[in-house]
Amino acid sequence: MVDVSTLGREAGRIADAVRHWSPARWRSSTVDESVDRAQLMSDAIQRVADAAADAEGQPRRPVPAPDSPVGLTDQWRVVMADLLAADPGAKPLHDAHEQVARLRSGLW
């Protein structure tokens, strides 16, 4: 089972690794070429935002697409911080950790 501090560190490492990416790099395909990197990150952001909303007892809301894929890094940091601050419990932490693993395997 993953804990809050471990998940926070792992999510931060992803954000640090991609924060300098250009829009062109975000638009390139994932490792398995199923989607582009921006879509993979957007999907992960939405799933973590949904988990945070569930943990807070709030309705789920769509996360708006940033003007540029460069903004995805900030969105990732915000939704992950929201989730970790919500004292989410084991299942949401596990689900968020799966998103971290998907990003790690798909982005590189």
Side-chain angles (χ1 to χ4, degrees), residues 13-64:
R13 286 184 190 125
I14 288 173
D16 291 343
V18 302
R19 72 174 180 236
H20 66 280
W21 282 10
S22 68
R25 185 153 185 197
W26 278 111
R27 286 190 294 272
S28 65
S29 294
T30 56
V31 171
D32 68 1
E33 298 185 7
S34 60
V35 294
D36 66 25
R37 289 178 168 122
Q39 186 62 54
L40 181 71
M41 181 64 103
S42 293
D43 292 346
I45 289 166
Q46 186 62 59
R47 287 186 181 106
V48 172
D50 290 346
D54 293 348
E56 295 170 345
Q58 298 294 321
R60 291 180 174 189
R61 295 181 182 96
V63 177

Side-chain angles (χ1 to χ4, degrees), residues 10 24 51 53 59 63 66 71 75:
E10 290 180 10
V63 177
Q75 284 185 324

Side-chain angles (χ1 to χ4, degrees), residues 26 38 41-42 45 63-76:
W26 278 111
M41 181 64 103
S42 293
I45 289 166
V63 177
D67 292 336
S68 167
V70 175
L72 291 168
T73 304
D74 291 336
Q75 284 185 324
W76 174 249

